Amino acid sequence: MSRIAYVNGRYLPRAAAMVHIEDRGYQFSDGVYEVCEVRGGRIVDERRHLDRLERSLGEMRIAMPMTRAALDVVMRECIRRNRVRGGIVYLQITRGVARRDHAFPPAGTAPSVVVTARNLDVAANERVAAEGIAVITVPDNRWARVDIKAIALLPNVLAKQAARERGAREAWFVDAQGFVSEGSSTNAWIVTADGKVVTRQADQGILRGITRAVLLDAIKAHGLALEERPFSVDEAYAAHEAFVTAASQIVMPVVRIDGRAIGEGRPGPVATALRREFHRFAEAG
Ligand code: PDD
C-alpha cells in the first residue's frame, strides 16, 4: 500500500508529497513539530501535544495555520489513510514559503503544514525494551531554547549518530556543569540506590516531554519518591536503574551508559512497571 502524506491542504502519495525549495523549514529550520504515539489507531495524549504545539508556535511567533479541530481531522485522516494501528503521527508547521531573507516574511505568508503517519514495529520495540538500550554521553551544544519543539535538530542528529557509531541507541546531553539534560530525542531518568526517581526539572534546558508529564502522574499515583532536579553523569553511572521517555518509545530501559552497566545491567523493576502502566495514565483520543 502506498503511503499518503498531507501537504498544505492536499493528501498526496508520498512520492509526490513535496514542499517548495524556499520553504523556510528547508532553508532555515524555521518551524516546529510534534510526534504523537498512535495506539489501536488512536492518537495518544493529543490534547497535550496540541497544547505544546501552540506554545512552540507562540514562542516562534508563527500563526496557528488552522484550528485544533482541523488539525485533529488531518491527523486522523492520515492515520486512517495509512492504516496505522501502532505507530506515530508526525506534524510539522513552518513559517511558510518566501524569498530567502532571514527576517520574517511578509505578514500573511501562510505557514506550511505537513502531516505523515506510519506504523512502527511494535513487537520489535518490545524486544528492545526487554533487553534495554545503551546510551552514551555527549556535551550539550544546543541553543538555549530547547524547550521549543523546533525542527532545528542538528546537534540532536549528530549526537544520535555518535551513539549509533558507538553501538548505542541514544545519546544523553551533558551541560557545562556535568549534569545530564536529556537525550537527543528523549527525556532522561534515573532511579537512585535509595529508590528515588530523578529527572531534570522542565525549564528551558529540556523539552517538556508529554511522555514525561504523563509518567509524573503515574509515578505520583504509585507513591514512588520523585525528585525533579539535575543529576550528574557520575550519579547516573551509580544509579540502580535508568530509562528514557518519548512518544515513540514510551518508557525505554537503559542498561549501559558509556559502556558501564547500570544496576544489574538489565531492565529494572521501576522502569519495567512504568512501561507497563503508562497507558493507564495517558489520554486516548
Ligand atoms: N522526540 N526531548 C527531546 C529532545 C525530544 O526530541 C523528545 C521527543 C523528547 C520527549 O518528548 P515527548 O515525550 O513529548 O515525545 C524529549 C520525538 C519523539 C522525536 O523527535 O521523534
Side-chain angles (χ1 to χ4, degrees):
M1 187 190 69
S2 76
R3 283 176 54 196
I4 303 292
Y6 173 91
V7 184
N8 293 324
R10 297 200 292 163
Y11 295 94
L12 297 168
R14 200 166 73 114
M18 306 285 171
V19 293
H20 196 280
I21 56 163
E22 288 196 309
D23 191 283
R24 291 180 62 96
Y26 181 59
Q27 291 192 325
F28 295 116
S29 292
D30 188 1
V32 302
Y33 76 107
E34 281 295 330
V35 177
C36 307
E37 186 196 6
V38 179
R39 191 163 186 261
R42 302 164 106 193
I43 304 171
V44 176
D45 284 315
E46 179 179 356
R47 180 183 59 83
R48 285 167 141 141
H49 281 281
L50 290 183
D51 285 350
R52 185 173 65 187
L53 175 75
E54 288 202 75
R55 176 180 181 275
S56 296
L57 287 170
E59 294 294 310
M60 305 262 290
R61 293 160 61 197
I62 297 175
M64 204 40 187
M66 57 178 92
T67 63
R68 286 171 73 118
L71 278 177
D72 172 61
V73 169
V74 172
M75 288 195 289
R76 282 169 198 273
E77 192 59 18
C78 282
I79 290 165
R80 192 184 70 75
R81 290 189 187 221
N82 291 288
R83 296 189 197 148
V84 180
R85 300 299 299 165
I88 52 169
V89 57
Y90 176 84
L91 163 62
Q92 174 174 314
I93 298 172
T94 75
R95 205 180 302 276
V97 176
R99 196 185 66 195
R100 189 174 182 279
D101 177 0
H102 288 65
F104 290 178
T109 302
S112 299
V113 182
V114 167
V115 180
T116 59
R118 68 184 169 94
N119 281 298
L120 294 178
D121 188 339
V122 176
N125 287 350
E126 285 305 324
R127 286 195 294 275
V128 173
E131 295 275 302
I133 63 165
V135 307
I136 62 165
T137 58
V138 296
D140 197 341
N141 54 4
R142 299 176 299 163
W143 73 323
R145 289 306 309 277
V146 298
D147 58 308
I148 301 172
K149 199 159 172 63
I151 58 173
L153 290 172
L154 187 53
N156 309 58
V157 167
L158 295 177
K160 188 77 91 185
Q161 182 61 22
R164 291 279 156 82
E165 289 174 6
R166 286 164 55 187
R169 280 197 182 243
E170 180 58 304
W172 279 5
F173 288 119
V174 178
D175 69 16
Q177 287 72 46
F179 294 108
V180 173
S181 44
E182 62 181 329
S184 69
S185 64
T186 56
N187 288 122
W189 305 68
I190 57 169
V191 182
T192 62
D194 57 354
K196 292 194 182 92
V197 183
V198 183
T199 194
R200 195 179 180 110
Q201 71 281 6
D203 50 21
Q204 291 187 354
I206 66 164
L207 182 76
R208 188 181 285 259
I210 304 304
T211 319
R212 176 187 180 283
V214 173
L215 206 66
L216 291 179
D217 292 344
I219 287 165
K220 285 170 196 155
H222 281 83
L224 295 169
L226 169 74
E227 290 183 355
E228 286 187 75
R229 62 163 175 84
F231 59 85
S232 67
V233 175
D234 282 338
E235 198 178 359
Y237 291 155
H240 260 201
E241 295 185 38
F243 58 93
V244 296
T245 56
S248 49
Q249 306 180 40
I250 307 307
V251 177
M252 181 58 72
V254 170
V255 294
R256 298 186 85 74
I257 302 175
D258 293 332
R260 298 165 199 235
I262 302 306
E264 295 179 358
R266 53 173 187 267
V270 174
T272 304
L274 290 174
R275 180 178 178 85
R276 198 177 49 233
E277 292 285 297
F278 178 84
H279 289 101
R280 289 212 300 125
F281 295 87
E283 291 173 7

